[in-house]
Amino acid sequence: ALPESLYNDLMRYLFGDIFYTFRFFFLPQYPQFRDKIAMSLYPRIWDKGELIIEQFEAVPEVIFIMEGIVEIGFMHENEFRAVMSFQRKGLFFGDYNVMQEKKSDICIRSVTKVKAYGLSGEALSEALGGEDENKELRTTLKSQAMRRNTILREKTNEKRKSMGIPLQSGDMNTKTSLISVIKNETEAMQRVEYLDKQITDKFKNLREEMTSFRTEVEKMLTHIPTYPLEGDATKSTLLGSFLAATTEKR
């Protein structure tokens, strides 16, 4: 078995693009959570016209869309009524239902072939640990999920109202609870933006250090006396090789 540190580095390398694409779920300030969950992601494919999430049914997994177009809507008189559609890598659905253990009050179906990753509720629960573990992360994920679910419900009810169909009741019926959710989500987004800036600054500093180091080496090499080294190698050819190598790495 690989040492834990090496295993975690490998997971971050293999799944880094997924973690970044869905960084509002795999929050960068919780690397241990991401490491635990990486191998629980599995590929999912839906053909055109298939239901990804069914209305009034339990939602067993969080869905992370990688490719394809999806529609969000509801069923009325055995007919799908579309509310909005999305064609964007990085969308994810089902987290509210999985974390709150609630059945879905909307439908999501594929307009084209859809490729995604799934994360089962069991795997998510295991990664989060017990109720006393990862409280801040659990609260952040739940508040984000509740906020987005509320927006989807509002959009769905607007469509129902325009069609003269009875509206859905919501789980959140107080202004205070909604404000609390928005506040938690805003704080989470601010933390993500802060960490993204830290990473960018670190890469910038590294590039500056490499440039400075390269300049110092150039100065050192220019003071080496010119004389044959090995075969046809000279000071100039060594300098050229070094500069070429460092330029490629940059």
Side-chain angles (χ1 to χ4, degrees):
L2 291 173
E4 184 177 356
S5 60
L6 181 57
Y7 173 82
N8 291 339
D9 287 343
L10 180 61
M11 291 301 100
R12 291 167 194 172
Y13 175 77
L14 293 175
F15 294 91
D17 60 331
I18 298 175
F19 291 154
Y20 182 78
T21 300
F22 303 100
R23 59 191 177 280
F24 296 122
F25 185 88
F26 301 108
L27 300 172
Q29 62 266 45
Y30 300 101
Q32 292 181 339
F33 169 68
R34 296 185 300 173
D35 295 339
K36 287 181 181 178
I37 224 164
M39 293 303 293
S40 298
L41 293 168
Y42 53 94
R44 302 281 273 118
I45 296 178
W46 287 271
D47 290 325
K48 178 181 177 180
E50 287 191 283
L51 287 177
I52 298 173
I53 292 179
E54 297 187 46
Q55 190 174 355
F56 307 131
E57 296 293 333
V59 180
E61 60 188 352
V62 184
I63 303 297
F64 301 92
I65 305 296
M66 294 294 291
E67 181 181 321
I69 304 174
V70 298
E71 280 184 327
I72 297 176
F74 59 93
M75 299 299 294
H76 181 66
E77 296 180 348
N78 295 320
E79 184 179 342
F80 180 85
R81 308 298 177 95
V83 175
M84 62 185 80
S85 63
F86 295 95
Q87 183 181 8
R88 189 173 79 243
K89 178 180 178 181
L91 293 170
F92 58 96
F93 306 101
D95 50 327
Y96 170 79
N97 308 92
V98 168
M99 299 190 73
Q100 301 288 356
E101 297 183 352
K102 292 182 179 292
K103 294 182 178 180
S104 177
D105 49 17
I106 61 172
C107 285
I108 299 178
R109 74 172 182 179
S110 55
V111 179
T112 63
K113 186 174 184 177
V114 171
K115 296 181 180 180
Y117 284 97
L119 174 66
S120 70
E122 292 80 3
L124 176 57
S125 178
E126 183 178 345
L128 288 172
E131 288 295 329
D132 294 331
E133 299 179 66
N134 298 309
K135 287 185 177 180
E136 182 181 345
L137 171 60
R138 191 188 302 273
T139 299
T140 299
L141 291 178
K142 282 187 175 182
S143 64
Q144 290 179 172
M146 193 177 296
R147 167 62 175 166
R148 288 185 293 103
N149 188 73
T150 301
I151 293 173
L152 290 178
R153 183 185 290 116
E154 290 173 351
K155 294 293 185 182
T156 301
N157 279 339
E158 287 176 8
K159 182 72 171 182
R160 286 174 175 270
K161 185 176 180 179
S162 69
M163 298 175 66
I165 301 172
L167 306 184
Q168 299 179 89
S169 60
D171 297 320
M172 297 169 54
N173 50 19
T174 66
K175 184 177 181 180
T176 301
S177 59
L178 182 56
I179 290 174
S180 176
V181 166
I182 295 173
K183 180 176 180 292
N184 288 335
E185 183 179 6
T186 300
E187 291 174 350
M189 296 306 102
Q190 288 173 345
R191 286 197 294 272
V192 171
E193 291 172 0
Y194 170 74
L195 288 169
D196 279 347
K197 185 178 184 303
Q198 279 192 319
I199 293 171
T200 301
D201 289 344
K202 284 183 179 179
F203 277 112
K204 180 181 178 181
N205 292 337
L206 180 60
R207 285 195 297 269
E208 290 175 351
E209 289 175 6
M210 287 296 295
T211 301
S212 176
F213 173 72
R214 185 170 180 266
T215 301
E216 290 300 318
V217 173
E218 288 178 8
K219 290 180 180 178
M220 291 170 59
L221 289 176
T222 56
H223 290 87
I224 298 176
T226 303
Y227 57 87
L229 297 175
E230 272 189 39
D232 296 329
T234 63
K235 175 184 65 176
S236 60
T237 58
L238 285 178
L239 176 58
S241 298
F242 172 79
L243 295 181
T246 55
T247 301
E248 289 175 1
K249 290 181 180 178
R250 292 173 66 204

